[in-house]
Amino acid sequence: MMNFDECMEFVNSYSKSGKPVTDLSRAENLMRLVGNPEKRLDFVHVAGTNGKGSVVEYISNALMYSGYKVGQFTSPFVLHYTDRIRINGKEIDEKSFCEICEFIKERIDNQPYSQFEITMAIAMWWFDMEFCDIVVLEAGIGGLLDCTNIIEPPVLSVITSISLDHMAILGDTVEKIAIQKVGIIKENSAVVLSIDNKNSVIDIVKNTAHEKNAEFIMPEWYNFKYLAMESDGNPFIYRKEQYKTAMFGFHQPKNAVTAIEACRYLMKKGFVVPEYAIRKSVETTQVKARVQYIDGNPPVIVDGGHNIAGITELCYVLDNIRLEVKNIYTVAGMVNTKDYERGIEKISGYSDKVFIIDDFAPNAVSVKKLIKIIANYNAKLRKMSPEIHISDFESCKSLSEAVEKAESLAIENNGIVVICGSLYLASKYLNDYQK
């Protein structure tokens, strides 16, 4: 049998995205060659720009607390490759991973599959082997042409917040991106849409649901009340019930009510998901690198948000933190496939000092380029008003150097450290400092 390193060599022999596709025939062919394990599974299919990972966890945990065996497929991995394939929160074991890899390698042809397609095939086989009651499946990019969309009509589709990301692939407006995301809505099914979407997006999802005779479900604003942001979560009221998320950030109650509505619909389809299980999920679910608060001296927030909407959500949190913690010291880096100029401007605007690095990913934007962007941004701010907040900044040769300097200042000034700008950076920090 192949060992783990040989299996990873097999997976990595494919490019991250594979050859561009115009339909799902390549992914369908792959699954046919390995025996179509996905046809023996039930799914909740989750797509969107931001909030997917959190919603997947809220739904998965509610089902787990209800006694179900739940497969979880997420994208991308945070700490290491196998953390994207889990059953009831436990990653695929090395023996199963190697057995399935060998099985798949022996059966597939030489088409230019993507790593994501191969990974999906591995996950589907494991979920089927382990007799999962249901799989909560996160789409990769988009929805319509995402390989996860090869599944037959799921029990439920869920679409979270839609904003600008992967624009070269999905389109340059939120509406164009929404058209790709709604591709996961199947005939005679149902879709839950997150509460925090533009009216134009709501119309696209609602119209698509109508065209496909699918039930359209969206949480009602009048039933939702945000109460506060606290260091250990966010209390809110929904449908006259009070909950409190374990996760930090203004956006988490919105993700939670999306999951609550999803669970309510699953009850209609025969799944027994009692209120105590939903409540326990909301109040205990935590996802790494999603505005992750790590208590300590100094406290640290780690966030992998890399598009403007995600970075904006982080900035809302930092703005609130500034009311209690005067000094924010940020370690930041970004990759060149994102809107790094606006991203680093936003991050610097909420920091007292930013330590810039580029040693965390091959496609990281150079320190020199990010420093120039911040300097130009600060110059613009000074022209607007001499009293406006201007962040200090410094280039660092490594993550370790940046963390050491940020932590030293935070301890000295009773501040907080923020690690942000890229999921690759968040992952590196969590792997190196939070084992």
Side-chain angles (χ1 to χ4, degrees):
M1 186 174 73
M2 297 165 67
N3 61 35
F4 186 80
D5 288 340
E6 289 170 333
C7 290
M8 288 310 304
E9 187 178 339
F10 163 64
V11 173
N12 292 328
S13 67
Y14 296 92
S15 68
K16 285 192 174 182
S17 57
K19 187 177 178 181
V21 298
T22 56
D23 57 33
L24 293 172
S25 59
R26 189 175 75 197
E28 289 168 343
N29 180 64
L30 169 63
M31 298 309 295
R32 180 183 58 78
L33 291 173
V34 301
N36 290 117
E38 80 285 357
K39 293 186 182 296
R40 298 184 288 274
L41 296 164
D42 289 323
F43 295 94
V44 174
H45 198 187
V46 183
T49 307
N50 292 305
K52 288 184 297 181
S54 298
V55 170
V56 165
E57 294 304 314
Y58 284 129
I59 296 171
S60 298
N61 287 338
L63 286 163
M64 280 185 251
Y65 295 143
S66 302
Y68 292 101
K69 192 170 189 176
V70 185
Q72 300 158 275
F73 183 68
T74 55
S75 174
F77 67 83
V78 177
L79 298 181
H80 43 262
Y81 175 79
T82 53
D83 69 27
R84 68 196 308 175
I85 307 171
R86 290 166 292 142
I87 294 177
N88 285 9
K90 186 177 180 181
E91 295 173 25
I92 185 171
D93 62 282
E94 193 169 299
K95 182 174 181 290
S96 296
F97 177 70
C98 292
E99 286 177 350
I100 296 169
C101 264
E102 187 163 339
F103 174 86
I104 289 172
K105 184 180 180 182
E106 290 173 352
R107 283 160 178 78
I108 61 174
D109 54 17
N110 60 357
Q111 283 199 50
Y113 299 112
S114 67
Q115 288 178 18
F116 188 68
E117 288 167 335
I118 297 294
T119 302
M120 180 187 69
I122 294 167
M124 295 296 186
W125 253 108
W126 191 49
F127 299 149
D128 183 42
M129 282 172 51
E130 294 294 324
F131 301 103
C132 286
D133 297 308
I134 192 165
V135 174
V136 186
L137 179 69
E138 181 181 345
I141 296 175
L144 180 65
L145 297 178
D146 187 79
C147 67
T148 60
N149 208 28
I150 50 92
I151 63 171
E152 294 180 349
V155 179
L156 175 67
S157 297
V158 179
I159 297 176
T160 63
S161 176
I162 296 177
S163 59
L164 296 174
D165 200 6
H166 301 292
M167 290 181 286
I169 300 171
L170 303 179
D172 57 2
T173 68
V174 170
E175 291 75 21
K176 288 178 182 177
I177 292 171
I179 289 168
Q180 292 295 314
K181 304 291 185 184
V182 298
I184 70 166
I185 302 173
K186 301 289 201 300
E187 296 283 346
N188 304 312
S189 60
V191 59
V192 173
L193 177 65
S194 177
I195 199 170
D196 51 345
N197 275 294
K198 292 174 60 177
N199 287 336
S200 58
V201 170
I202 294 170
D203 289 342
I204 290 168
V205 179
K206 191 181 291 185
N207 291 338
T208 303
H210 178 74
E211 290 166 7
K212 296 190 176 182
N213 195 33
E215 184 176 349
F216 174 81
I217 305 160
M218 192 173 83
E220 305 98 342
W221 275 110
Y222 63 83
N223 274 324
F224 174 75
K225 184 178 181 182
Y226 189 94
L227 297 178
M229 186 178 79
E230 300 171 1
S231 60
D232 59 345
N234 300 268
F236 66 96
I237 294 171
Y238 187 62
R239 291 181 180 266
K240 299 181 181 179
E241 294 286 335
Q242 184 164 336
Y243 303 86
K244 184 175 181 178
T245 66
M247 283 196 280
F248 212 36
F250 287 104
H251 53 298
Q252 284 305 337
K254 298 170 190 174
N255 291 334
V257 298
T258 302
I260 290 169
E261 286 297 343
C263 290
R264 289 177 183 275
Y265 180 81
L266 291 174
M267 288 275 286
K268 289 167 59 176
K269 300 301 288 185
F271 288 85
V272 180
V273 191
E275 172 63 26
Y276 80 81
I278 297 172
R279 179 176 298 280
K280 185 176 179 181
S281 175
V282 170
E283 296 181 350
T284 61
T285 294
Q286 293 183 302
V287 184
K288 291 183 184 296
R290 267 76 166 187
V291 195
Q292 179 183 354
Y293 181 85
I294 301 170
D295 199 13
N297 184 29
V300 178
I301 289 177
V302 184
D303 186 57
H306 46 216
N307 55 47
I308 295 303
I311 290 171
T312 299
E313 291 291 352
L314 171 65
C315 291
Y316 288 151
V317 173
L318 298 183
D319 196 32
N320 192 77
I321 285 173
R322 193 176 286 284
L323 298 174
E324 299 178 10
V325 180
K326 299 271 185 207
N327 300 292
I328 297 172
Y329 302 101
T330 302
V331 176
M334 302 197 73
V335 295
N336 60 19
T337 54
K338 304 298 177 183
D339 187 354
Y340 58 84
E341 185 166 346
R342 283 204 299 156
I344 199 65
E345 286 177 353
K346 275 186 170 290
I347 289 167
S348 68
Y350 288 86
S351 307
D352 291 280
K353 186 163 186 174
V354 187
F355 297 92
I356 307 294
I357 59 169
D358 60 11
D359 70 328
F360 60 92
N363 64 332
V365 181
S366 71
V367 165
K368 185 177 179 181
K369 187 173 287 187
L370 292 180
I371 289 287
K372 185 177 179 181
I373 292 168
I374 296 176
N376 290 339
Y377 180 63
N378 284 349
K380 290 178 186 176
L381 292 178
R382 286 192 184 94
K383 285 184 179 179
M384 290 169 58
S385 170
E387 297 178 0
I388 203 163
H389 170 76
I390 301 292
S391 65
D392 194 6
F393 55 88
E394 180 180 337
S395 63
C396 294
K397 293 181 180 178
S398 65
L399 174 60
S400 58
E401 178 191 346
V403 169
E404 184 179 340
K405 289 182 175 180
E407 287 184 344
S408 178
L409 282 172
I411 292 169
E412 182 182 338
N413 298 294
N414 192 31
I416 190 168
V417 173
V418 178
I419 314 292
C420 66
S422 168
L423 186 58
Y424 295 108
L425 173 55
S427 176
K428 182 173 174 59
Y429 175 82
L430 291 171
N431 272 311
D432 291 355
Y433 291 89
Q434 296 297 316
K435 289 183 179 179

